[in-house]
Amino acid sequence: MRWPLLIRLVVLALLIAFLVTPESFAFLLEPLTKNGQPAIYDRGSLWSLTLSHLAITFAATVAATIVAVGLAILVTRPFGAEFLPLSRSLANIGQTFPPVAVLALAVPILGFGTAPTLVALFLYGLLPIFENSLTGLTTLPPAVTEAARGMGMTGTQRLTRVELPLALPVILGGVRLSTVISLATATIGSTVAARTLGEVIIAGLTASNTAFVLQGGLIVAVLAVLIYDGLSAFERFLVARTGRAQQEAA
């Protein structure tokens, strides 16, 4: 087993142990407290908050992926090419408006809770997935697409059997970036009563409890690194498999 993989497994095991039995790690955080403050967040379950945080991130990323990839497919077809500037403008909306501004606009309409956070993360995650999907679908090897056309494949068959599988590693790169961005940005959802790890950070800032701020930030940071590495490994696997498939086709 390679050392980098072993280190990641150890970090994952420590993270799970901390989320399940955080009291076991209290002695590490107690030096950061003062005036008898608790070292471990005691206003809710860290495990439950983490699962909720991941669920919100996953839901927003899936929705952004469906819409962004759909738009990229549309504008790379002959009948949809004219919609490219409009689609790019739509994908840029999330990056133009900060998530906090989106939350402020969404709360009066959707109320407090998870819904406005999902909207903010969805808009914020569109651009990287759209741009990567567009790049993946417009930089395919001409010989492969011509061969598929020469075999008599329909447009739908070329898309599902050739174009999307070849573009998938590039698309996944956008999904990876969007996921990490959403994972970090989701913490602000707690300002509108969404159940995320931002609760821990906000509680620490409010009570001047550095231990709360540190544990909330560390959980999000470790999750971001592990998810990023996991998606990167999957992306490399797809690239290797696609390369072998192209060699066999040649």
Side-chain angles (χ1 to χ4, degrees), residues 167-246:
L168 188 57
V170 182
I171 295 173
L172 187 61
V175 174
R176 169 167 45 88
L177 179 59
S178 179
T179 301
V180 173
I181 291 174
S182 295
L183 190 69
T185 308
T187 54
I188 68 171
S190 293
T191 60
V192 292
R195 296 199 73 242
T196 73
L197 289 164
E199 283 187 23
V200 185
I201 298 173
I202 293 172
L205 292 173
T206 303
S208 298
N209 189 333
T210 307
F212 282 8
V213 177
L214 181 61
Q215 63 195 268
L218 277 178
I219 294 172
V220 174
V222 171
L223 286 173
V225 171
L226 292 177
I227 291 174
Y228 184 92
D229 285 349
L231 290 176
S232 295
F234 185 54
E235 186 181 337
R236 289 193 296 270
F237 167 76
L238 288 179
V239 169
R241 191 180 70 172
T242 300
R244 289 195 298 269
Q246 289 180 349

Side-chain angles (χ1 to χ4, degrees), residues 5-206:
L5 177 59
L6 179 60
I7 292 173
R8 290 177 177 86
L9 291 175
V10 170
V11 171
L12 177 59
L14 288 173
L15 175 62
I16 294 174
F18 178 74
L19 294 175
V20 174
T21 59
E23 297 79 10
S24 303
F25 297 81
F27 69 96
L28 295 174
L29 296 169
E30 283 174 355
L32 300 176
T33 63
K34 56 185 178 181
N35 301 324
Q37 292 175 324
I40 301 297
Y41 182 69
D42 57 354
R43 304 176 192 176
S45 167
L46 288 176
W47 177 259
S48 176
L49 285 174
T50 301
L51 292 181
S52 178
H53 191 109
L54 289 173
I56 292 172
T57 301
F58 177 77
T61 302
V62 169
T65 299
I66 292 172
V67 173
V69 174
L71 284 175
I73 292 173
L74 173 66
V75 299
T76 53
R77 305 305 99 181
F79 60 83
E82 61 183 300
F83 296 105
L84 176 57
L86 176 61
S87 298
R88 184 162 272 144
S89 297
L90 290 174
N92 273 297
I93 288 177
Q95 301 292 330
T96 303
F97 290 94
V100 174
V102 176
L103 287 175
L105 294 172
V107 165
I109 301 172
L110 301 174
F112 288 90
T114 301
T117 305
L118 284 173
V119 171
L121 297 183
F122 165 76
L123 292 176
Y124 212 55
L126 278 175
L127 184 61
I129 303 176
F130 175 75
E131 290 295 342
N132 275 48
S133 300
L134 196 61
T135 299
L137 291 171
T138 55
T139 57
L140 297 172
V144 176
T145 55
E146 287 300 323
R149 188 176 286 107
M151 293 172 61
M153 288 186 178
T154 64
T156 302
Q157 288 174 330
R158 291 198 302 272
L159 175 65
T160 57
R161 298 183 184 180
V162 178
E163 295 180 30
L164 282 177
L166 290 177
L168 188 57
V170 182
I171 295 173
L172 187 61
V175 174
R176 169 167 45 88
L177 179 59
S178 179
T179 301
V180 173
I181 291 174
S182 295
L183 190 69
T185 308
T187 54
I188 68 171
S190 293
T191 60
V192 292
R195 296 199 73 242
T196 73
L197 289 164
E199 283 187 23
V200 185
I201 298 173
I202 293 172
L205 292 173
T206 303

